[in-house]
Amino acid sequence: MSNVPRWAVLAAACAAVVAAVGGCSSDSSKSDDAKKQASAKPSGGASSAATPSGGVPSGGVPSGASSGTPSGKPPSGSPAPADGSIPAGPGPQPSYTVQKQPAAGSCHYRFSPAKEPLPDPACTPGATNPKVTQATLQTTICRSGYTAGIRPPTNITSREKTANAASYGYKGSLREAEYDHLISLQLGGDPNDPRNLWVEPPSPGHQDGKGPNNPKDVVETKLKNAICSGKTDLVKAQRAIARDWTTALDAVGVTDKGAKGETAADPDDNG
């Protein structure tokens, strides 16, 4: 017979029961805590931390934020590339349709030191006519009457003008403002790309009731004459006027002196 005391046998038996069913006596408070902790874990066993209201979860995007581009600009209304190049528009069309304009109030005028109006480069960076290149000058902009044949009709541009005035927040009389091609048709600008058109307010010194007063027209004609006479190239002139029409002549090295045939309103392109 074994010499192991009876109390030792009983202790061993109790230990076996503890391992199997939780012990001869249980700590009910610890058991309840364990159950609560188990039930608090998310399914799958992974821990998760709540994202604070307005915070940024691990994905890097604020809760409820959209990854899309901001509203307020037209799809085609992106600024010109940083290298100074200008996007090409669709060019002259057999028939024109009214083009969507930037959202109301989304565009903002700039002004030169002399208070001449300049467009918002995000809304109106300019767009070129792909038919006009350095190689096609003599059959396009240097040919008399070319721009008259590609101009959109007023039943199209008048509706665009009203919408674009809202884009820029222009509150004045539309009769006193010009719906202007930033790069004019006579400089190879696209006829109806919304990136190339803006409601241009009157310049300083304007007299109400006299209609648009736009010294930009003179700059456009001087630049066209310089292009067609070989004094500057097409792309250089287009970039200069798209950047700032008030400094465009200096930018291409064209004198500001008047020349024969240069008038305030070019017969082929009144913007």
Side-chain angles (χ1 to χ4, degrees):
M1 177 179 284
S2 171
N3 294 324
V4 178
R6 181 176 293 180
W7 63 266
V9 173
L10 292 175
C14 185
V17 174
V18 168
V21 297
C24 297
S25 65
S26 65
D27 187 333
S28 61
S29 63
K30 290 182 179 179
S31 177
D32 290 343
D33 288 344
K35 289 179 182 179
K36 290 177 182 179
Q37 290 175 5
S39 65
K41 291 182 180 180
S43 63
S47 63
S48 64
T51 301
S53 176
V56 180
S58 60
V61 179
S63 177
S66 170
S67 60
T69 55
S71 62
K73 306 293 181 188
S76 60
S78 57
D83 63 0
S85 60
I86 300 169
Q93 303 293 309
S95 62
Y96 292 98
T97 57
V98 175
Q99 297 298 297
K100 182 179 179 181
Q101 303 298 310
S106 65
C107 305
H108 306 283
Y109 290 115
R110 299 174 297 134
F111 294 90
S112 73
K115 307 302 181 184
E116 295 286 1
L118 300 170
D120 186 331
C123 293
T124 318
T128 60
N129 175 357
K131 300 292 186 182
V132 179
T133 66
Q134 195 68 31
T136 65
L137 292 177
Q138 298 308 314
T139 57
T140 55
I141 63 171
C142 297
R143 175 176 63 82
S144 179
Y146 172 73
T147 60
I150 65 170
R151 181 181 301 284
T154 56
N155 70 316
I156 298 293
T157 58
S158 61
R159 285 182 281 174
E160 293 174 347
K161 182 178 184 179
T162 299
N164 189 267
S167 301
Y168 272 91
Y170 176 74
K171 303 298 184 182
S173 169
L174 288 179
R175 293 184 179 182
E176 306 300 312
E178 184 173 340
Y179 188 47
D180 193 29
H181 293 93
L182 178 59
I183 303 172
S184 67
L185 299 187
Q186 63 178 328
L187 295 177
D190 192 89
N192 201 39
D193 190 311
R195 294 172 294 184
N196 196 43
L197 283 154
W198 62 302
V199 171
E200 183 176 0
S203 289
H206 171 74
Q207 296 180 12
D208 290 342
K210 298 290 186 179
N213 167 37
N214 192 356
K216 178 173 175 282
D217 291 339
V218 176
V219 173
E220 293 166 354
T221 302
K222 289 178 184 292
L223 288 174
K224 180 193 125 173
N225 289 344
I227 293 168
C228 294
S229 63
K231 293 178 180 178
T232 191
D233 66 75
L234 175 70
V235 172
K236 187 175 181 180
Q238 289 175 334
R239 290 184 179 183
I241 200 160
R243 188 182 308 113
D244 185 336
W245 68 264
T246 68
T247 61
L249 294 177
D250 287 338
V252 300
V254 173
T255 178
D256 199 24
K257 280 186 175 182
K260 185 177 180 181
E262 293 178 345
T263 60
D266 179 63
D268 284 341
D269 182 24
N270 58 21

